[in-house]
Amino acid sequence: MSRAHQPPLVTGISPNEGTSWTKVTIRGENLGTGPADLVGLSICGHNCLLTGEWMSASKIVCHVGPAKDDKGEIIVSTKSGGHGTSTVSFKLLKAEKIGILDQSAVWVDEMNYYDMRTDRNKGISPLSLRPSNPLGIDVDKGKVPLKDLEAMFPGVSGDFTSENFSATWYLIENHSVTSFDQLRMAASNLKKQATRKNEGSLAYVKGGLSTFFEAQDALAAIHQRLESDGTEKVEGSMTQRLENVLNRASDTADTLFQEVLGRKDKADSTRNALNVLQRFKFLFNLPLNIERNTHKGDYDVVINDYEKAKSLFGNTEVPVFKKVYAEVETRIGALRSLLLDKLLETPSTLHDQKRYIRYLSDLHAPGDPAWQCIYAQHKWILGLMQNCKEEFINDQRGELQTHTQTLDLEGDPRPSALSRIRDTASLKRGCSLRTPRPSTWRYETPQQVQFVEKLSDVVIGQLPNFWKLWISYVNGSLFSETGEKSGQVEKSKKNARQRQNDFKKMIEEVTHRLVKLVRGALLPSTLTELELRLYGGWESKTELTGPWLTQVIHTVRIIFEALVALEIPNDLLQVIQDLLLELRHHCLLVTLHHTAGDVKRLAEKEDWVVDNEGITSLPAQFEQCMVQMLQSLKEPMETKPGEVNLDQAQDQASELCVDIMRVFVNCLEQLSNKTDGDIDTSHISVDLASPDPFSGLQEDFCATLEQRLLIILSNCQYLEKHTFLNMAEHFEKHGFTGTDKITQVSVHAVKELDESLFDAYIERKSDPIVGSLEPGIYAGYFDWRDCSTPTGVRNYLKEALVNIITVHAEVFTVSKELVPRVLTRIVDGVAEEMSRLMQCVSSFSMNGAIQVHHTRTHARTCLKRLPEMSACFGGMEFWPAHLIVTLKNI
């Protein structure tokens, strides 16, 4: 057991002896935790609680009452420690008797006032009428302690009016330092008083002797007359007349002394009233003290005084006490109402709620204040949540409308992918949502996001205190911080057990209200028509993008984690988990849809600027867009403790990712189909520092349709060999399933586009060359059977070779990797056409045969040297004139 629960122990009292109403200081251990904890205090068997004043756990101050025992223990009782013990005792001394006419510096207790007029039949000791100083000299009390005199003279007293009077005690007590001459004078005074008394009595008898005789004769005559008249009471008889005379004498005496006796009675009643007021001033001043302390907020003092008054005067039968106590009860009733109003006020801190509940419990307020507070808090939280929604729905401020119109005029207000990633990065776990906002934050952030954040403030700010209040109600700590058992604690636990289901419904109502409000703002399709009327109203607001939904998910997760930290049962939080799952799913789909739109708009950003590898920035922009999408989905895809995996949405997400890939492939196809007038021509830039002489064309060379086809073909090859493989790694890194399917479909779509564009390019480049062969051969009515002696290669072959070298240079300028593929197809086409033309000739003359042989030999030689010629003339200085010179040298 802890020290706070040990019984009180009194180890000292100062002073340790004294008369009634002596103020003493009691010291010890465990004397209570406060004024309200002190329930009992007795000294020598007398209850001193009314005058007791608790100072600390080791000190109490009180006044000693009129106890029966002259020596006894000091017993202290507290609520926390029970009945105590004492190691010291107090000795109660008898108070000195003070005469009626003696002066006194203290108030004389007149409760046992003796009125000789009311007890005239009792004998009065002559000594009681003697003066207080019978010796007639100055009293000079010594310093001999009273307890020493009691030990020296057992069984006797120094009071000269007592039957056990001891002259020695009296002299030691009152004249221990008086000189012998004064004592001799005192003895002489006693003799004179005795002589004066005896002489006075004798002289009084001698002087009134005749009167005594006359009285004797009168009494004798009365006696004889009474005997003659008998004992009957007859009208007009002497007995009747004597009675009348005595009555008149009594009335005359009363008339003479009525005023004096009236003043005496009034003084006695006033003195008794003052005595009562003095002794019971606590009760008479209590109504005013209650009002004064209530205004100051000292409710503990009021409750402590009320408990004392109730224990002392709760069952009194004294009319005046009953009247004053009824006024006290009236004031306490008003205080109960005041405290209940303060308890039900909102907002209020948990500390204040507990304090007011304890006050009402100590005042024995009717009903269950703790449950009333819980019910009021529940309704207030629901009202705050609903008002939060209404505030945003009804917000029609002109600044917001003006800003919205400005955004509409400027263009798409949605943030770019890079800005979305920057915003998402700030939502990492542990980051606060309450970071400083710019002045325009309210207008930049969608109202749905602001609403969810404010709703989060309401729930996180109020629900924890609401839950802690209930826990305090369950374990009884509302009424006892130390947790000791008491009637109030047990009653609280019993009430809590009976209301567990009611409180569970309250928590369910709060969580369901939170979920429905969030659904109404973000997932209206999941609510019924009736629920939409209550929790909806966001139809006019713009649908949120992925980054804003990610921020909402982060906020809802903060709410969930805060409620889990309170140890609220999981079944009450299941609706929040379901909401998180749907929000994550919705965020995933929205982000993928928006990414598809961003990818579709990439075609507008194509600038046809190629690098050394023959590709533009379009593949890199596509990869960056996809990586940013995956990064923004990192938090929604992450499964926190207590949440469910997004396995069911993975298939749908995979299909959407495939669609995004196809959208990008379609963008490439659209770019290839555009004519020169459909796009803004931009100059192909060239890296002047590149060592490769064929890395680009001159700055004033515009991208033709054939060049765009080559650039797209080069981009397709890069996508197939690099981008899609990188994307597969990113998908796997971020937990996406179906990566193989996404990659396969993407590669297949790119290959189909590549084949289609390659065939289109070959068709545009190969057909003119092949088509020029037959007209060139038979130009000038050339006949293989009748031709002159050949002197060199004919011009049609030179023209064909020049065109092939031109194609080679064009392809080489864009991408070296495309040269073999393109030239192979073109040369194959030329060879097939030449073979077909030769097969169509029925017969050759000798010169014709020689011409065919020269043509075949020189064509093979030129084609073999084509890579060498391209390496020599494939730089910036490469022009068709150089090719012509080369062919002439051949």
Side-chain angles (χ1 to χ4, degrees), residues 773 776-777 782 784 788-802 834 847-848 850-863 884 886-890:
L773 293 177
I777 291 176
F782 180 81
W784 293 105
S788 60
T789 302
T791 59
V793 180
R794 296 182 62 191
N795 291 332
Y796 78 90
L797 183 58
K798 295 179 181 180
E799 182 180 355
L801 291 176
V802 168
M834 289 293 294
N847 291 332
I850 296 174
Q851 183 68 44
V852 171
H853 176 72
H854 280 291
T855 300
R856 183 177 57 188
T857 302
H858 289 297
R860 184 185 298 114
T861 303
C862 186
L863 290 175
I884 296 173
T886 303
L887 290 176
K888 287 181 178 180
N889 294 331
I890 294 174

Side-chain angles (χ1 to χ4, degrees), residues 362-395:
D362 292 339
L363 293 175
H364 308 287
D368 191 349
W371 180 252
Q372 289 177 311
C373 180
I374 292 174
Y375 182 80
Q377 284 292 112
H378 168 248
K379 292 300 181 183
W380 181 63
I381 293 174
L382 292 178
L384 282 179
M385 297 169 66
Q386 194 68 28
N387 292 337
C388 183
K389 190 267 289 190
E390 299 298 334
E391 175 185 349
F392 282 92
I393 293 297
N394 299 328
D395 188 6

Side-chain angles (χ1 to χ4, degrees), residues 512-531:
H512 281 78
R513 180 70 60 86
L514 168 67
V515 169
K516 289 179 180 178
L517 287 172
V518 176
R519 288 181 182 274
L522 305 175
L523 303 171
S525 60
T526 61
L527 298 179
T528 63
E529 293 183 2
L530 178 60
E531 290 174 340

Side-chain angles (χ1 to χ4, degrees), residues 164-209:
N164 300 326
F165 173 69
S166 172
T168 306
W169 183 335
Y170 180 81
L171 291 175
I172 294 175
E173 180 181 8
N174 297 284
H175 301 284
S176 59
V177 294
T178 305
S179 62
F180 182 75
D181 294 337
Q182 288 180 333
L183 291 177
R184 182 182 297 174
M185 185 183 299
S188 176
N189 291 338
L190 285 176
K191 292 180 180 179
K192 291 180 180 179
Q193 289 179 11
T195 302
R196 189 182 305 114
K197 179 179 180 181
N198 292 334
E199 293 176 352
S201 300
L202 182 60
Y204 178 77
V205 172
K206 290 180 178 179
L209 186 60

Side-chain angles (χ1 to χ4, degrees), residues 354-501:
K354 288 183 176 181
R355 189 162 57 95
Y356 293 136
I357 290 173
R358 291 195 187 105
Y359 289 155
L360 290 170
S361 176
D362 292 339
L363 293 175
H364 308 287
D368 191 349
W371 180 252
Q372 289 177 311
C373 180
I374 292 174
Y375 182 80
Q377 284 292 112
H378 168 248
K379 292 300 181 183
W380 181 63
I381 293 174
L382 292 178
L384 282 179
M385 297 169 66
Q386 194 68 28
N387 292 337
C388 183
K389 190 267 289 190
E390 299 298 334
E391 175 185 349
F392 282 92
I393 293 297
N394 299 328
D395 188 6
Q396 299 294 335
R397 294 189 301 176
E399 294 87 349
L400 183 58
Q401 294 179 353
T402 303
H403 189 77
T404 304
Q405 294 172 0
T406 303
L407 290 177
D408 293 339
L409 293 175
E410 292 178 354
D412 188 4
R414 296 185 295 111
S416 63
L418 184 60
S419 65
R420 294 202 301 267
I421 295 303
R422 182 175 61 251
D423 296 338
T424 306
S426 65
L427 299 177
K428 294 181 180 178
R429 180 180 179 86
C431 294
S432 174
L433 285 175
R434 306 297 172 260
T435 54
R437 306 285 191 180
S439 59
T440 59
W441 173 82
R442 177 173 176 84
Y443 304 115
E444 295 175 355
T445 304
Q447 284 197 327
Q448 295 98 312
V449 179
Q450 298 182 43
F451 163 68
V452 174
E453 291 191 357
K454 186 168 184 180
L455 197 62
S456 169
D457 293 338
V458 172
V459 175
I460 296 178
Q462 302 301 328
L463 198 57
N465 288 339
F466 181 63
W467 178 260
K468 292 176 183 178
L469 181 63
W470 164 255
I471 295 300
S472 300
Y473 183 60
V474 171
N475 58 30
S477 60
L478 281 177
F479 308 100
S480 175
E481 292 289 349
T482 56
E484 71 272 6
K485 292 184 177 180
S486 65
Q488 292 176 336
V489 173
E490 296 302 322
K491 182 180 178 181
S492 173
K493 293 181 178 179
K494 181 180 178 181
N495 293 338
R497 288 192 295 268
Q498 295 175 351
R499 294 189 168 107
Q500 280 184 347
N501 292 332

Side-chain angles (χ1 to χ4, degrees), residues 486-585:
S486 65
Q488 292 176 336
V489 173
E490 296 302 322
K491 182 180 178 181
S492 173
K493 293 181 178 179
K494 181 180 178 181
N495 293 338
R497 288 192 295 268
Q498 295 175 351
R499 294 189 168 107
Q500 280 184 347
N501 292 332
D502 295 335
F503 183 78
K504 183 177 179 180
K505 292 179 181 178
M506 289 182 179
I507 295 295
E508 288 179 348
E509 188 174 1
V510 172
T511 54
H512 281 78
R513 180 70 60 86
L514 168 67
V515 169
K516 289 179 180 178
L517 287 172
V518 176
R519 288 181 182 274
L522 305 175
L523 303 171
S525 60
T526 61
L527 298 179
T528 63
E529 293 183 2
L530 178 60
E531 290 174 340
L532 278 176
R533 286 196 294 269
L534 293 176
Y535 310 111
W538 302 87
E539 293 79 4
S540 60
K541 308 302 179 183
T542 307
E543 184 180 359
L544 296 183
T545 59
W548 291 124
L549 287 173
T550 302
Q551 183 168 337
V552 170
I553 293 173
H554 181 75
T555 304
V556 176
R557 277 176 169 167
I558 290 177
I559 297 176
F560 180 75
E561 292 172 359
L563 299 185
V564 170
L566 295 176
E567 299 182 356
I568 297 178
N570 290 331
D571 57 334
L572 299 179
L573 304 179
Q574 185 61 42
V575 290
I576 302 181
Q577 295 180 2
D578 297 340
L579 173 64
L580 276 172
L581 179 62
E582 294 189 38
L583 284 175
R584 292 163 62 201
H585 186 194

